Amino acid sequence: TGRLLCVEEGVKSPGVGAEVSAMAAESDALDLLDAPALRLRGGGGTDSAQRAAAPRAADIEAAARRLARREAR
């Protein structure tokens, strides 16, 4: 698809998503992307700290749709 969406639990930086995005930016993979990488982390929720740290399915879907609409470079 030429898009990169990194989804992870917890804080946005530092994290695995930040590292994956950096690796893509520093490699030949950057030339394959049609839009900047998008990182999504958890946040919100009311039941427990673990639930609050996990991204919700609706948030992942919305981020993927937002990324799909981004203009190609």
Side-chain angles (χ1 to χ4, degrees):
T1 65
R3 307 288 198 268
L4 175 60
L5 174 60
C6 297
V7 180
E8 65 182 312
E9 295 181 351
V11 297
K12 194 176 232 182
S13 181
V16 174
E19 188 63 25
V20 170
S21 296
M23 289 172 63
E26 295 169 352
S27 72
D28 293 336
L30 183 63
D31 296 332
L32 302 174
L33 296 177
D34 294 330
L38 180 62
R39 295 185 303 152
L40 178 65
R41 64 165 179 81
T46 57
D47 293 342
S48 70
Q50 185 173 8
R51 173 175 247 174
R56 297 178 312 150
D59 295 333
I60 296 169
E61 179 183 357
R65 289 180 186 280
R66 201 167 54 246
L67 184 59
R69 286 191 303 267
R70 285 190 179 178
E71 293 292 320
R73 289 191 220 188

